[in-house]
Amino acid sequence: MAIDGAGYSSSEFQLAFKAESTIGTANVSSMQRIDISDVSFPSLNPVQTLDVKSGVGRTAAIADAFITEKHTLKEISFSATADTTVTRLLLQNILTTAVGSSPASYDIPNTYTPPELETGDNSSITIADTCTVAFVSPEAGNDHSIIFPGCTLTSLSLSGDMGTESGRVTLSGTFQTAFLPSYGQNKPTGMSAPGTSYYSLTDFTTTRKVAGVADSIISSLTLNLENPSNYGGFSGSNGDPTYIVRAVPEISATLDATIKYDDNTAGLADTFTDGTTVATELSNNGTWASATGFGIRGDYGKITSLGMSENAAMFYDVSIKLMANDKSGTSDVIQIIA
């Protein structure tokens, strides 16, 4: 084999995803490309047993090795710019719900129950169920991409910092699957480009309530969503799972914010230690039902940590877990306008 002088930039690798028509069956037609900023090779996590076995000599032999990736959990992590096209699709997959109304938001209801996901199901499957993820290689031979079927988004964070790109929001997330991927695949054709409209902390033009404090001055903010997936059972020669259970033990939403220490926020220490329930609402309207563009609302939260952050002025670092008021009412854990 001759030396290959080609080299590639990290910016030439691509990541794309697409809703599956049948759970666990790859769908690479007209995939949606993610505007990734950092490329990270997927975690393939094969089982490797390389211990020495009984025999002549005190060395491990090639015949002793056992390596398989059947029914192992693969992870595809990424960081990207939060454009309005991709972010909405990702929110649907991690929350397993479509957009609601009044306002048009993606919600975790207090009685949240995830959909039943069974391998081979092809009835009304949407982006909220499973998707195929493609790790797209730029290699000129065009046969080195990896296709991951049966993926679910298990974590998603939306972050903005006023000191970075004037508060433009970025996202990071992790897809998981226990289905066997396909290696050495051609680059998917007809991939859709990422969106060209973005979110920013400056979209919160009217309502900026954090941890129950109205008119908070925000330096940075991160919303974290977690929806674990358990891939169970096995079938076929690939050992693919037969079902996917989501939100065990729970689906969760937490918020980390850096807000200025002033007369408005100085009482947060008492709020924290007293365990007071706090509301957070961020939007471009004084009435939540009329808010548009980008917004976050959680009426029932508990502060989980509180610290000081020195900037030009002193700021609080506050973390909040958003919760349901109860498990029988109509309140949501969180509503996200995107």
Side-chain angles (χ1 to χ4, degrees):
M1 181 180 293
I3 293 175
D4 186 351
Y8 298 96
S9 167
S10 62
S11 63
E12 294 179 89
F13 288 83
Q14 297 177 326
L15 195 70
F17 67 112
K18 173 78 174 188
E20 293 180 337
S21 301
T22 301
I23 292 178
T25 299
N27 182 10
V28 296
S29 174
S30 302
M31 303 188 81
Q32 174 62 60
R33 188 160 58 86
I34 300 174
D35 188 17
I36 57 174
S37 53
D38 292 317
V39 62
S40 178
F41 192 75
S43 298
L44 302 177
N45 300 319
V47 173
Q48 292 185 316
T49 302
L50 307 178
D51 299 333
V52 61
K53 300 296 191 297
S54 173
V56 178
R58 303 181 185 180
T59 58
I62 289 296
D64 297 335
F66 174 76
I67 301 175
T68 184
E69 61 169 333
K70 292 181 180 180
H71 207 74
T72 61
L73 198 62
K74 293 84 177 171
E75 294 186 331
I76 308 99
S77 297
F78 60 92
S79 299
T81 305
D83 68 81
T84 57
T85 299
V86 170
T87 303
R88 291 166 182 166
L89 295 173
L90 295 176
L91 284 170
Q92 289 179 65
N93 189 265
I94 194 165
L95 301 181
T96 68
T97 57
V99 65
S101 59
S102 299
S105 60
Y106 301 91
D107 310 333
I108 302 177
N110 63 332
T111 56
Y112 174 81
T113 301
E116 296 181 4
L117 303 177
E118 299 177 6
T119 300
D121 185 9
N122 58 8
S123 57
S124 302
I125 303 303
T126 70
I127 192 64
D129 298 313
T130 60
C131 56
T132 298
V133 174
F135 181 79
V136 182
S137 169
E139 209 283 318
N142 194 31
D143 59 355
H144 293 282
S145 296
I146 309 174
I147 307 300
F148 296 87
C151 293
T152 53
L153 189 65
T154 57
S155 68
L156 181 67
S157 294
L158 301 174
S159 301
D161 190 309
M162 290 306 299
T164 304
E165 297 186 7
S166 300
R168 186 166 73 149
V169 175
T170 61
L171 58 82
S172 60
T174 299
F175 287 105
Q176 288 186 345
T177 185
F179 289 85
L180 201 66
S182 298
Y183 302 95
Q185 300 298 298
N186 290 335
K187 176 181 178 179
T189 59
M191 290 187 292
S192 299
T196 56
S197 297
Y198 307 100
Y199 305 105
S200 174
L201 295 186
T202 58
D203 293 339
F204 305 143
T205 56
T206 304
T207 303
R208 291 184 293 273
K209 179 190 291 185
V210 178
V213 179
D215 299 319
S216 293
I217 297 176
I218 303 170
S219 172
S220 65
L221 182 141
T222 299
L223 173 65
N224 305 292
L225 304 172
E226 301 281 344
N227 192 349
S229 293
N230 177 269
Y231 290 79
F234 63 90
S235 63
S237 59
N238 289 340
D240 287 336
T242 59
Y243 64 86
I244 308 169
V245 176
R246 306 217 61 185
V248 176
E250 67 169 324
I251 185 172
S252 67
T254 61
L255 191 75
D256 300 313
T258 300
I259 54 178
K260 188 168 71 72
Y261 181 91
D262 52 30
D263 188 55
N264 290 339
T265 61
L268 282 180
D270 288 340
T271 303
F272 176 33
T273 56
D274 289 344
T276 304
T277 299
V278 296
T280 294
E281 185 175 333
L282 305 162
S283 76
N284 65 354
N285 199 286
T287 302
W288 177 252
S290 300
T292 59
F294 183 42
I296 299 170
R297 177 174 176 173
D299 290 335
Y300 304 96
K302 297 291 185 181
I303 297 176
T304 58
S305 69
L306 189 67
M308 299 296 289
S309 175
E310 184 176 357
N311 294 293
M314 293 302 295
F315 279 70
Y316 263 140
D317 290 327
V318 57
S319 297
I320 306 163
K321 178 169 181 175
L322 303 175
M323 308 173 75
N325 184 32
D326 56 56
K327 295 186 178 182
S328 59
T330 58
S331 66
D332 293 320
V333 174
I334 190 171
Q335 294 178 303
I336 306 164
I337 300 172

